[in-house]
Structures are given as structure tokens and as C-alpha cells.
Amino acid sequence: MPETSIPELLRNAAARFGDRLALRQPHGHDVHTWTWSEYLAASEEIAAGLHALGLRKGEHVAICSETRAEFYLADQGILAAGCVAAALYPSYPPAELLRTIGMSDARALFVEDTRTLAKLKDAPVDHLILMTGYLPADAPPNAVALSDLRVHGKYHADLVASDNAILYLTSGATGEPKMVLVTHGSVVANVHMGPTVLPLTPDDITIAFLPSAHIAQRVVVEILPILSGSPVSFAESLLKLAGEMKTVQPTWFLAPPRVWERIYTSIRAEIQKRPALVQKAIFAALGLGLAAARRQREGKSVPLRIRLPLNAAHKLVFGKIRDRFGGRLRIAASGAAPLGQDLAEFYEAIGMPLIEGYGLTEGGVCALNPIHAVRPGSIGKALPGVEFRVSDDGELLVRGACLSSGYYKDPEATAALLRDGWLHTGDIGMVDSYGYIYITGRSKELIVSSNGKKIYPSRVEALFKFEPLISQVVLVGDKLPHLVALFTINAAVAKEIAGAAEPFHQAAAVQAEVQKIVSRVNKQLAPFEQVRRFRILPREFSIEHGEVTATMKVRRKQVLENFKADVDALYHLSASGRGGE
């Protein structure tokens, strides 16, 4: 019989997998590990500590930490205590974090380290809990170290499926962030959909580094492995991820498109340093890989004239790329943001198809590409027990046991979100005759030009992101006569351009190269979708300026506000007939 709560999943895992590896946390030259039995014991000791502090079932507890083993322990401890876990994005500015803690009604706050403790010492909570290290001499009087919290024995609350488990903070990519309540029953139902589409075993292992406040990380990389007994290792930082790949040799790995884009960009940059003849051979091999993948998707055999040279390419080139991920990777997944079709096809061509899925904070993880039948450009098929349908105006609607309860303290927004049992996603899409789901854009991001033409910017922007020189892009054109674009560029690629000198955004050689990219992309677009003018910005969009979320989704509204003068100048130059770069 399926479990009724997340702590019950962990108790069952400890009973089944006992002394097998559960968590692996590198720390400098050392590595700290936990077995499943130790994982359970730690969570129930933390639960007992929270209970001793006076926290009771249903009360909220926040966590501000990067993804690490101690986050998992704290999260499961909060849940075992019967409390509701509210994870924060630690990369956000302190003022925003303090505001969010207040919105969450948290009574206690776990903080990762002494630096975070100092930053959030004025948080409106009764208790501060330091997850790593020792309390400093000047620690607030309401602070306690995690080690001291774990001296009250063990405890777990009696829970039922309808009890609240997690309070998620939405990314705010298309509006003000909201808080979403999810029950134990919803999460348990969601992870039980996993084994048929993502078959993991205790012999599998992954590396976790996505923010734990994000639903993809929380459900897929924290809670699903509990069900399957699959251990999780952690990356100390993104800079150390490449080294951890070689050490851990993960068998599966989930990353956002931004990571896959950066890996692709570095590969392209390396290829461009090779002699022209070698470049030509590699691109020819990519063409063969694409042709082979296309035939396989269509159920056709791959002819010998493609198969033989492609086998050589896998051995000489593509295999070396795959080895960067440790050499054992069998499932490479992309989530947390939309993946461009061209990027997906590149990875498919090198023999490492990206398994793109779909989920949303309000609805759980809802769809995934079948591992052996990937369709680039698609978010896959509905998970078992999940239904999709398309409304009359093209919006994707979702129904299933994995849906959230709605927005915290916002009945009006909840009523708009959940209607007649269907969750209104805000995504525009379609479902083909094979059950594959495709998203064409976000209804809130739709650009309607002054002549009435409708443009979904994500599709056009994805074409630009496939270009190694382009780092980020935002299209502009709502209620205006034509499209213009704001670009940030990849400095590592820009410095390889002949004649380019810093500052690269002003370099004539870089401007000329971007113009070539715009012309190349425009040939793939309808006239009303084409970019007429562009501006290269002097810096990347950042979390600090409010322009991207913690998972690197662009907050379009904030970008347009921050770079209003640049946009105004582009349209003024365009209207006056002068250049727009």
C-alpha cells in the first residue's frame, strides 16, 4: 500500500536499504556520508529537537541553504516533526529573503552557515538553527546549532495524506512570487509516478546542485531517490561540478537548460579552435548523428553508410564529450525551464539525448519524455495518473493527484488557478496524436505587435541561445511595430573573434558577428517575427538586479524596466532610420 506521508517513505527506505549509501557530501578534501539508517535517525533527531523548541504539527519552518546533505536532513526533520517546510533561494538579496520569511509565517529558520546567520539574524522567527559549524560568540540569543538540536532523542508526528508538507515559493518569472501549499499525499502520489518513467535503483547515483527551493530538485532529486533507494551526492559549487562528475560518475543527472547551454558553448568554442578540416569533419559527424536520430524516431533502421562513420565519430569525438560526465551517465535530464529544440537535437546527435520533462510549482512534475523515445522540442508524455488537455484558447490544463492545494493565503488566485479540478498552467501548447506534449509559449509573455501579430518570444529566443556567442536574449515588441532584441554575450567566445577587444559589447567586430547571427536566425522566421534592431548590453542579467530567478529564468518585466533607456533608444533609432545596434 502506498505511503501516506514523506517521512513514511524515508522510514521504509531505511528498513529496505539500511546500511547502503544514501547521501554523500564532499567538504574540501574530506567526504561525509550517511547511510539510509543514519539519514532516518538524523531526521527524527531534528524532529525531536523542533518538538522540544515548541514547534507543533502544521507550523511552518523555513530553510535558507544551498543544496547540500544538511538541507536534506533538515527538510526531512521538519517534515517528520509534522511541520511545513518552506525553502528559500539563498542567492536572493537579504531584504527579499527577510520579506519572504515574513510572508511564509515561519516560526523557525534553518540557516546554512554563520555568514547566512549574520545576514538573516533579524528574521521574524522565534528560533534560528545553524546547520553547519559552531555558533559565533555574537550569535542572537534565539540561535541554536544543529548538533545541539539533535540531543532530544527521536520523534515523528502522526501524519495523514491531507496534511500540508511543503510551502514553495514560485520563481516570479512572469509576475510577483507567490507561495504554494502542497500536501504529503500530493508529493507521495507524484514520486510514485516516477519508477515507470525514471527507473532508478540503489546502484544508481546522481549529483544534486539545483536550488532545493525548486520543485524539480525537491521532488526528483531529493524525494524520488528515497523511494528507489538511490544515493545522492552533492556538488560543493558549480565550479567544482566537473571534478565531481569524474569522481562520482553519476548514472543520472538533472540540470536546467542554462547548464546544458554552457556545456554546448564550451564544446563549440573548442571545436572552433581546431583546423578547418577537423571542424568540417566534426560538423559532418553531427549531421550524421542528427540523421540517425531522426530515422530512429521514425522507427526506421539506420543504413550502413550512416552507421559506420557515425560509430567512428562516437569513438573519436562524441565519446570523449560524454566522458566529461563521468562515463556512466545513462539518463541526462533537463528541467526547471524550457529547453530549446536545437540544443536538444545537438545532445541527441552526440548520443546523449536530454530527457526533457515538465512540471510547475502549482502542479508537481507532470510529464517526461520516455527514456528510449525522446522527442526533441517536446516536454514528453503525461506521467501515469496525470491528464492533459488543451482549452479552447490553447492553454494547457492539467489534472491529477500531484496537484497543489493552491496559493497560501490567496483564495482568489487559487480559484483562478484550479477550476473544476483542472489546473490552468498559463502555458500555450498542443498534444500530438502520439501523446507528446509541446509548449509554444507562456500566455503572460505573449507579444502582440501594433499590427496585431502574435509572437511567443521563447521560441525565437531559443534560436539565438543556440549560438555560442549569445549568452542571454530578451525580445521586445509588445504593442510596437516590430521586434528588437537585448543581448548579453559570452565573453569567452567574444575574445576569440578577430579584432575584438574589451569592452566586448562595444567592439565593432563583436557587433558585426552578432549582426550575422541576427541575419542567420531571421531567415528561419516569418517577417513579423524577425529582429530589426538589437543592443548588446554591458553585463549579464543577474539575480542581484532582479532580472533572473535562482534557476536562471529571465524576469522579462524587470529586464525591460532596468534597460528601458536601451529599448527606447532602439525604437527611436529605428523610427529615425538610423542604425540600431
Side-chain angles (χ1 to χ4, degrees):
M1 184 176 177
E3 299 84 353
T4 57
S5 70
I6 301 168
E8 192 178 352
L9 284 172
L10 184 54
R11 291 197 294 273
N12 288 350
R16 292 170 62 200
F17 308 115
D19 292 333
R20 293 194 64 140
L21 177 66
L23 305 175
R24 178 188 178 277
Q25 176 66 59
H27 183 71
H29 296 295
D30 298 324
V31 175
H32 191 173
T33 61
W34 289 260
T35 66
W36 289 101
S37 296
E38 289 168 340
Y39 189 1
L40 174 65
S43 72
E44 293 189 343
E45 287 169 6
I46 291 168
L50 292 173
H51 200 258
L53 289 178
L55 285 139
R56 295 296 179 261
K57 182 177 175 180
E59 292 187 310
H60 296 184
V61 178
I63 314 175
C64 187
S65 170
E66 298 290 350
T67 295
R68 55 184 301 138
E70 288 84 358
F71 180 101
Y72 280 36
L73 301 182
D75 197 33
Q76 293 301 318
I78 293 165
L79 297 172
C83 297
V84 178
L88 309 171
Y89 289 103
S91 54
Y92 285 174
E96 190 171 342
L97 289 172
L98 291 169
R99 184 174 68 91
T100 302
I101 294 165
M103 286 169 53
S104 74
D105 292 328
R107 279 200 58 208
L109 169 66
F110 284 81
V111 294
E112 180 176 6
D113 50 27
T114 53
R115 186 174 57 86
T116 311
L117 177 64
K119 188 166 62 174
L120 300 179
K121 67 181 188 303
D122 297 323
V125 295
D126 298 332
H127 307 283
L128 290 163
I129 301 155
L130 180 66
M131 295 164 63
T132 62
Y134 300 98
L135 283 178
D138 61 348
N142 63 337
V144 61
L146 183 62
S147 55
D148 294 326
L149 189 74
R150 294 177 56 181
V151 297
H152 299 278
K154 296 178 183 178
Y155 172 78
H156 69 258
D158 292 325
L159 295 166
V160 296
S162 58
D163 287 327
N164 290 324
I166 298 172
L167 187 66
Y168 285 113
L169 176 69
T170 63
S171 67
T174 58
E176 277 298 307
K178 292 184 174 68
M179 306 202 90
V180 178
L181 266 175
V182 182
T183 65
H184 281 274
S186 171
V187 177
V188 170
N190 208 178
V191 297
H192 271 285
M193 297 170 185
T196 56
V197 294
L198 201 63
L200 304 177
T201 74
D203 294 322
D204 285 302
I205 190 168
T206 191
I207 299 175
F209 79 100
L210 274 170
S212 280
H214 195 281
I215 191 168
Q217 163 62 32
R218 202 74 156 279
V219 171
V220 181
V221 192
E222 180 184 343
I223 303 173
L224 180 61
I226 296 175
L227 180 65
S228 60
S230 304
V232 177
S233 188
F234 300 87
E236 281 192 273
S237 69
L238 193 56
L239 292 174
K240 294 185 178 181
L241 182 59
E244 283 298 302
M245 284 283 183
K246 293 175 183 176
T247 301
V248 176
Q249 297 182 307
T251 59
W252 69 286
F253 181 64
L254 170 67
R258 188 77 176 137
V259 168
W260 300 115
E261 287 166 7
R262 284 175 173 168
I263 293 168
Y264 164 77
T265 296
S266 70
I267 292 168
R268 276 289 298 267
E270 287 177 27
I271 291 171
Q272 287 171 347
K273 293 177 183 177
R274 303 288 180 90
L277 212 58
V278 175
Q279 288 188 44
K280 188 175 180 180
I282 292 173
F283 287 124
L286 283 170
L288 291 173
L290 287 171
R294 197 171 296 117
R295 291 185 70 88
Q296 287 167 341
R297 287 201 302 270
E298 294 168 355
K300 298 175 182 177
S301 62
V302 180
L304 206 61
R305 62 181 171 80
I306 293 177
R307 199 164 65 245
L308 284 179
L310 187 56
N311 287 342
H314 279 298
K315 186 176 181 180
L316 297 172
V317 182
F318 302 155
K320 292 177 182 177
I321 295 173
R322 297 195 298 270
D323 285 344
R324 295 182 183 190
F325 296 89
R328 295 199 305 156
L329 195 66
R330 65 183 182 88
I331 301 171
S334 180
L339 178 73
Q341 183 172 341
D342 287 345
L343 192 67
E345 287 180 342
F346 166 79
Y347 282 99
E348 187 180 38
I350 67 169
M352 199 176 84
L354 296 184
I355 313 298
E356 186 176 10
Y358 173 80
L360 61 168
T361 312
E362 298 88 343
V365 180
C366 304
L368 189 72
N369 264 278
I371 291 174
H372 300 297
V374 175
R375 293 287 187 275
S378 165
I379 58 168
K381 295 184 175 184
L383 294 187
V386 176
E387 297 176 70
F388 277 82
R389 73 178 175 88
V390 181
S391 70
D392 292 340
D393 57 359
E395 183 181 11
L396 285 175
L397 310 183
V398 181
R399 182 165 65 181
C402 55
L403 301 190
S404 72
S405 305
Y407 297 116
Y408 181 55
K409 288 186 171 180
D410 196 340
E412 190 175 318
T414 299
L417 174 76
L418 299 166
R419 289 176 252 163
D420 300 322
W422 290 93
L423 185 147
H424 291 244
T425 67
D427 288 314
I428 306 301
M430 54 86 69
V431 183
D432 72 13
S433 57
Y434 298 100
Y436 286 89
I437 305 154
Y438 296 82
I439 291 177
T440 54
R442 289 282 296 170
S443 57
K444 289 183 180 178
E445 293 181 350
L446 177 67
I447 291 174
V448 182
S449 64
S450 57
N451 59 8
K453 296 292 186 180
K454 295 181 179 179
I455 304 140
Y456 289 106
S458 58
R459 188 183 76 84
V460 179
E461 288 166 355
L463 297 175
F464 283 106
K465 288 178 185 176
F466 194 62
E467 297 284 346
L469 180 59
I470 304 300
S471 179
Q472 297 160 308
V473 55
V474 166
L475 293 189
V476 187
D478 197 43
K479 301 182 180 68
L480 293 165
H482 54 257
L483 291 183
V484 299
L486 300 175
F487 292 118
T488 69
I489 57 168
N490 188 321
V493 177
K495 72 180 182 182
E496 299 296 329
I497 297 172
E502 294 192 56
F504 292 127
H505 71 285
Q506 294 177 346
V510 174
Q511 297 277 354
E513 195 61 37
V514 173
Q515 181 60 66
K516 290 177 187 176
I517 290 169
V518 170
S519 300
R520 192 156 58 234
V521 169
N522 278 346
K523 289 177 183 177
Q524 304 174 57
L525 300 169
F528 65 88
E529 295 176 305
Q530 293 174 358
V531 171
R532 298 279 189 90
R533 297 285 188 275
F534 64 85
R535 177 66 57 92
I536 302 174
L537 301 176
R539 63 170 177 82
E540 291 263 304
F541 303 141
S542 70
I543 292 173
E544 291 74 21
H545 291 91
E547 296 147 355
V548 292
T549 70
T551 52
M552 303 310 291
K553 289 180 186 173
V554 173
R555 286 174 165 164
R556 195 174 300 272
K557 181 180 176 183
Q558 191 64 49
V559 168
L560 297 186
E561 185 177 312
N562 290 0
F563 294 99
K564 185 177 184 300
D566 294 273
V567 174
D568 289 347
L570 283 173
Y571 280 103
H572 172 72
L573 292 171
S574 177
S576 66
R578 293 182 282 127
E581 287 84 327

